[in-house]
Every structure is written in structure tokens, then in C-alpha cells.
């Protein structure tokens, strides 16, 4: 039986929560988890109440899907990224403590990485918090027999001339370990990507958050299995793994270059964080004498199966983006420019030339409610029935058909990843005219949209600036036309 010092209040620094080294007893795990959850909830409760006046309930807090937090961010959309950054240290502690708790019980510490799977993580917490230390640990006699068996297998497959072979240069060992680690990480990412994109057509939390951490852990474990490498060396290996994975996914047709580039600021740090965990699993010897490679293989197999949980996140909040501009013209003149929209002759910004859909011109067939507005973009035409027609005040419309939000860069000219169809969906739009003192007009352009690529808070932080850029191109064109009249 393992002897675990299980007093979270004695001889234990709180920084110990962040490291993946040494066992964690049941009592420590429960007290640390409960106190951190209570602290995090208190911060989020008072932040939401202060910023929006809404009540952030315990049910909202334990809801594992980040999208459920969106209704609390309507009045403070920029807070979504802050919320994610605030959550990351708690996720790290949860993973680190769970890895160590699993090892303390006697099972493979790779189970701790299941903390990264929504819903399943709640079950993992319950199990780890309930089982005693050393429940499944092997006795010294069992360990000795296991070591002898492993040594016999190694001797059976050892080349006869091995003793006469000079030692391999360490630089060659490092390069070989790095290449094997890169392959292992790429295989993990590709397997999850193929199941998620091709089989399920889901761009979910597991694809963009869980899988890079697990792939990084697999690569970090493989890289450090024979010999512990420096953090700088491992960082270089992870960068190489991400670059190779980028081209593998591109050539496999899993996605285009634009979305892969957008995802890299998230995938890179997450995979390196996973590599730190993987190195600890290889070098900290949380279960001395035990081979953790079967646990690693099991995690690579289990992760794609966890994708079946993604459809349970069916909460698709409507997001709103409003951009405004002041125009030196009366509301009547501005209204005429809104409803009679000539082609935009301003040059396209670099991000539009890179493939993001850009507005070109618009027409309206008919007059008043029931008329149909057609807004032409570089990727196709939005079809928008008019729902509100108040001359000089407000023009509103629904969106019943839309083109792709971008043109992907890909070796395959006809590649249409599923996210181009449903990842970003515009629901409705509006122009609102506000008279200003002195005869001017403040024109507000608003788009309501859904995003079905997760974590939504991350992709929303990309979608919102892009929508503002589209709005500005339209509003500045209307301003130019209005001020010329």
C-alpha cells in the first residue's frame, strides 16, 4: 500500500497544486477541489452581477459547456476571452491534481486527462474523490515478478551483438525521440480530426481544446520516455509537431489553411501544456516500476469515442455585433443611401483578399416590409427579406440564405469543410438611423449570428472583429455616398 501524506493544511504549498509530481490523497483532492470551485464561483458570481446585474447560479457554474456562459456576456462581449483566461489555471490544477490522484489510487495517471472531456469530467471527479489511496497498487512481490517478466522479454529480443555495439550519440537519440514524439502527436490529432470532421461533422470542444492537450501529452511522454529533455528542447519539438500536423491536416483535407492558422494561437499553448503533463508522466514515476504506455494508448483510443458527447452541447446562443459611424448628412439622405446601395469601389483590405467574405454591393427588390434585399459578397449572395421599413429610422431584415463566410486555402480547389456550411450563420441584420444635433446622422449596423465551432468564446473573439470590419466597409461606403449628396 502507498503511504500518502493526506493533510492539505500541513507542509504543503499551494504551488504544489500546479505540479505533476507526487501522490494526492483523497482528502487533499476533495478539499482542494471544493475550495477552488467555491473561490472561482464567488469571483464569477460577483463579476457577472457587477457587470450585468444577472444572477450566475450554481447550475450555470457547473454546466460544463462554455457556450452556456454566453447569455451573461451579451452586455460585455469582450469579457468572454477574459473568462476563458481566468478559467485556464483552474483547468490546469484540476488536470494536475487528477493525474496524481489517479496514480495514488493505483490506476494509470492518464485517467486524469479525462478532466478535459465535458460531462465525463464530472464522473471522473466523483470517482477520484471517492476511492482510497493504494486501492489498486501492486504489492512488492507482484512488482518484482512484473519487473522480472519485463526483463526476460527485453533479453529475448535483445540483438546478440548488442554488447559489442558502441554507444549511440545522444544527439541521435534526441533526434530519434523527437521524430517519434512528433509522429505520435500528429497521429493523435489526425485521428480525432478525422472522426470529428469527416464522421460526425462536429467542430467541438474536444477537437479544439481536449485533443491538442492530449496530443501534446502523448508527444511529451514519448519524447521523454527514455531520457528527460529540457523545456526548451521540448518546446521546439511541440512547435515542430504543430507545424507537421498543420500540413498533415491540410493535405488530408480536414480543413483549409485559414481556419488552421486561426486555431494555432489556441492549439500551440494547449499542446505545450499537455507536453508538460506528458513529460511528468514519463519522468516523475508517479507509479514506480509501472509501464504507463498502455494508459497513453488507451487515452488516444478513448478520446475519439468521447466525441459522441459533443451533440449534447446543443446550446447555440445568438450573438450580436453593432458598429456605428457618424455621417455629416440628414437621416433622409442617409436612408436613401441605405436603400439604394451602389457598388463599393474601396479596395479590399488584406484579410478580405486572404479569403474572408467581403461585401460588394446590395439591391432591394420591392418596397417596404416583404421586399427582398440581396447583399452580394465576394463568396456569394445573402438573401434577406425585409422585416421592418421605417424611412429615416430603421431597416431590418432576416437572412434566409447565405454564402460561405470565407474561401479556404487548400490544395483541393473544391474543399468545403462542414464549418463553411454551419460554423457561422447570420440570422438577421439591421440599420438604425439616429439623428444628431446639427443635422447629422449616427448610423448603426447590427448583425445577429450563431457560431457552431467550439469553444465558442474563442471563435467569437475572431468572428466579432471580422463582422466589425464588414460593417465598417459598408457603413463607410454609405457615409461617402451620403456626404456627396
Amino acid at each position: 500500500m502507498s503511504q500518502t501524506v493526506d493533510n492539505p493544511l500541513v507542509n504543503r504549498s499551494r504551488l504544489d497544486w500546479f505540479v505533476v509530481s507526487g501522490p494526492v490523497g483523497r482528502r487533499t483532492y476533495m478539499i482542494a477541489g471544493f475550495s477552488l470551485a467555491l473561490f472561482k464561483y464567488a469571483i464569477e458570481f460577483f463579476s457577472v452581477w457587477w457587470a450585468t446585474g444577472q444572477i450566475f447560479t450554481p447550475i450555470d457554474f457547473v454546466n460544463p459547456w462554455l457556450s452556456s456562459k454566453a447569455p451573461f456576456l451579451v452586455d460585455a462581449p469582450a469579457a468572454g476571452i477574459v473568462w476563458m483566461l481566468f478559467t485556464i489555471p483552474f483547468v490546469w490544477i484540476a488536470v494536475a491534481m487528477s493525474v496524481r490522484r489517479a496514480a495514488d489510487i493505483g490506476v494509470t495517471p492518464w485517467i486524469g486527462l479525462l478532466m478535459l472531456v465535458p460531462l465525463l469530467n464530472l464522473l471522473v471527479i466523483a470517482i477520484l474523490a471517492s476511492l482510497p489511496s493504494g486501492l489498486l497498487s501492486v504489492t512488492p512481490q507482484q512488482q518484482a515478478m512484473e519487473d522480472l517478466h519485463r526483463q526476460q522479454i527485453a533479453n529475448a529480443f535483445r540483438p546478440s551483438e548488442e554488447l559489442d555495439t558502441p554507444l549511440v550519440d545522444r544527439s541521435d537519440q534526441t533526434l530519434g525521440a523527437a521524430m517519434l514524439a512528433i509522429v505520435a502527436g500528429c497521429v493523435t490529432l489526425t485521428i480525432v480530426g478525422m472522426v470529428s470532421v469527416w464522421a460526425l461533422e462536429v467542430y467541438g470542444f474536444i477537437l479544439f481544446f481536449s485533443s491538442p492537450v492530449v496530443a501534446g501529452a502523448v508527444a511529451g511522454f514519448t519524447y521523454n520516455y527514455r531520457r528527460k529533455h529540457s523545456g526548451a528542447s521540448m518546446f521546439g519539438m511541440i512547435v515542430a509537431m504543430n507545424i507537421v500536423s498543420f500540413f498533415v491536416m491540410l493535405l488530408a483535407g480536414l480543413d483549409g489553411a485559414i481556419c488552421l492558422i486561426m486555431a494555432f494561437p489556441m492549439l500551440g499553448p494547449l499542446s505545450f501544456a499537455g507536453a508538460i503533463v506528458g513529460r511528468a508522466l514519463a519522468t516523475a514515476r508517479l507509479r514506480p516500476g509501472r509501464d504507463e504506455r498502455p494508459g497513453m494508448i488507451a487515452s488516444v483510443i478513448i478520446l475519439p469515442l468521447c466525441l459522441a458527447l459533443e451533440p449534447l452541447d446543443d446550446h447555440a446562443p445568438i450573438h450580436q455585433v453593432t458598429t456605428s459611424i457618424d455621417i455629416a448628412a440628414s437621416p433622409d439622405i442617409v436612408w436613401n443611401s441605405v436603400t439604394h446601395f451602389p457598388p463599393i469601389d474601396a479596395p479590399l483590405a488584406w484579410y478580405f483578399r486572404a479569403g474572408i467574405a467581403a461585401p460588394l454591393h446590395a439591391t432591394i427588390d420591392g418596397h417596404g416590409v416583404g421586399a427582398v434585399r440581396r447583399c452580394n459578397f465576394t463568396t456569394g449572395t445573402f438573401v434577406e427579406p425585409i422585416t421592418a421599413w421605417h424611412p429615416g429610422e430603421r431597416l431590418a431584415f432576416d437572412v434566409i440564405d447565405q454564402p460561405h463566410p470565407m474561401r479556404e486555402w487548400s490544395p483541393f480547389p473544391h474543399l468545403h469543410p462542414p464549418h463553411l456550411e454551419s460554423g457561422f450563420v447570420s440570422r438577421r441584420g439591421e440599420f438604425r438611423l439616429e439623428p444628431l444635433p446639427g443635422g447629422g446622422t449616427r448610423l448603426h449596423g447590427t448583425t445577429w449570428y450563431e457560431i457552431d465551432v467550439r469553444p465558442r468564446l474563442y471563435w467569437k473573439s475572431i468572428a466579432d472583429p471580422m463582422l466589425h470590419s464588414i460593417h465598417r466597409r459598408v457603413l463607410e461606403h454609405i457615409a461617402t455616398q451620403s456626404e456627396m449628396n
Side-chain angles (χ1 to χ4, degrees):
M1 289 288 184
S2 64
Q3 299 297 319
T4 304
V5 178
D6 195 16
N7 188 343
L9 304 178
V10 179
N11 296 327
R12 188 171 290 278
S13 167
R14 293 300 170 264
L15 293 177
D16 187 53
W17 292 347
F18 290 88
V19 300
V20 187
S21 178
V24 170
R26 178 168 52 179
R27 183 166 175 263
T28 299
Y29 186 77
M30 292 174 64
I31 292 178
F34 180 78
S35 59
L36 286 170
L38 187 61
F39 172 73
K40 186 174 186 290
Y41 174 65
I43 296 295
E44 293 178 353
F45 175 88
F46 287 109
S47 297
V48 169
W49 178 78
W50 178 79
T52 68
Q54 301 181 72
I55 299 299
F56 188 62
T57 69
I59 299 299
D60 297 319
F61 177 74
V62 299
N63 190 320
W65 305 111
L66 286 175
S67 59
S68 66
K69 313 302 190 281
F72 300 99
L73 301 172
V74 173
D75 297 326
I81 290 298
V82 177
W83 200 326
M84 285 189 62
L85 295 176
F86 174 68
T87 300
I88 286 175
F90 294 90
V91 174
W92 175 265
I93 294 174
V95 171
M97 296 284 280
S98 298
V99 164
R100 297 162 62 192
R101 176 84 263 266
D104 182 61
I105 294 170
V107 297
T108 175
W110 285 91
I111 288 177
L113 291 178
L114 294 178
M115 290 295 298
L116 300 169
V117 179
L119 293 181
L120 188 58
N121 57 1
L122 301 177
L123 177 62
V124 171
I125 291 173
I127 293 175
L128 296 181
S130 60
L131 297 181
S133 299
L135 178 66
L136 300 177
S137 297
V138 298
T139 65
Q141 293 79 9
Q142 290 172 324
Q143 186 63 59
M145 291 295 295
E146 185 176 319
D147 292 342
L148 177 61
H149 181 64
R150 188 182 300 114
Q151 185 62 45
Q152 290 173 339
I153 293 176
N155 291 338
F157 288 93
R158 179 180 298 166
S160 59
E161 67 276 9
E162 181 179 293
L163 295 178
D164 299 327
T165 304
L167 292 177
V168 179
D169 185 74
R170 279 200 165 190
S171 61
D172 293 336
Q173 291 180 339
T174 298
L175 179 60
M179 294 177 64
L180 183 60
I182 290 170
V183 170
C186 286
V187 168
T188 303
L189 287 173
T190 303
I191 290 175
V192 176
M194 291 172 65
V195 175
S196 185
V197 175
W198 287 350
L200 302 178
E201 296 188 357
V202 170
Y203 292 82
F205 186 87
I206 292 174
L207 175 64
F208 284 113
F209 192 91
S210 305
S211 67
V213 178
V214 174
V218 169
F221 179 87
T222 305
Y223 188 46
N224 294 278
Y225 184 73
R226 297 295 181 189
R227 179 170 68 89
K228 185 176 182 179
H229 294 86
S230 68
S233 173
M234 191 167 67
F235 177 78
M237 182 273 294
I238 289 296
V239 170
M241 184 199 78
N242 278 284
I243 293 174
V244 173
S245 298
F246 176 98
F247 286 103
V248 168
M249 292 183 181
L250 191 64
L251 294 176
L254 287 176
D255 213 334
I258 294 179
C259 279
L260 291 173
I261 292 171
M262 288 179 178
F264 191 79
M266 177 172 53
L267 303 185
L270 288 174
S271 57
F272 184 69
I276 295 175
V277 176
R279 181 171 69 167
L281 293 177
T283 61
R285 306 302 177 193
L286 297 176
R287 297 191 304 168
R290 302 300 297 273
D291 186 358
E292 302 298 356
R293 287 177 294 182
M296 179 189 72
I297 295 172
S299 68
V300 175
I301 295 173
I302 291 173
L303 192 61
L305 301 178
C306 293
L307 289 166
L309 297 172
E310 292 283 10
L312 298 178
D313 180 18
D314 60 355
H315 181 74
I318 299 291
H319 304 288
Q320 174 183 337
V321 174
T322 299
T323 311
S324 303
I325 190 173
D326 290 351
I327 303 174
S330 68
D332 290 338
I333 294 177
V334 174
W335 174 265
N336 186 65
S337 298
V338 168
T339 56
H340 298 82
F341 193 86
I344 302 176
D345 53 10
L348 296 173
W350 68 267
Y351 39 85
F352 291 134
R353 295 196 302 273
I356 302 298
L360 300 176
H361 68 281
T363 60
I364 296 180
D365 298 331
H367 182 87
V369 174
V372 177
R373 183 174 186 266
R374 287 180 169 81
C375 190
N376 299 300
F377 278 63
T378 50
T379 57
T381 301
F382 284 80
V383 180
E384 304 164 340
I386 303 298
T387 58
W389 182 286
H390 304 291
E393 297 179 4
R394 178 172 175 252
L395 177 72
F397 46 86
D398 288 338
V399 178
I400 61 173
D401 191 20
Q402 70 172 60
H404 291 161
M406 67 177 70
R407 289 196 180 102
E408 278 286 14
W409 295 353
S410 172
F412 311 102
H414 301 294
L415 174 70
H416 297 297
H419 71 80
L420 292 182
E421 302 293 340
S422 59
F424 175 91
V425 179
S426 179
R427 292 302 182 187
R428 61 184 188 273
E430 175 186 272
F431 291 100
R432 187 178 294 272
L433 290 71
E434 176 187 346
L436 295 176
T441 304
R442 179 166 293 153
L443 178 61
H444 308 279
T446 302
T447 296
W448 287 266
Y449 73 96
E450 293 177 1
I451 190 166
D452 195 25
V453 183
R454 284 149 282 195
R456 289 187 176 95
L457 293 181
Y458 175 82
W459 293 102
K460 183 179 185 298
S461 70
I462 296 176
D464 284 4
M466 288 295 99
L467 278 173
H468 280 300
S469 298
I470 292 171
H471 288 173
R472 280 193 297 270
R473 178 172 168 84
V474 171
L475 298 183
E476 288 171 0
H477 181 63
I478 292 174
T480 299
Q481 295 298 316
S482 300
E483 292 172 355
M484 290 174 55
N485 296 329

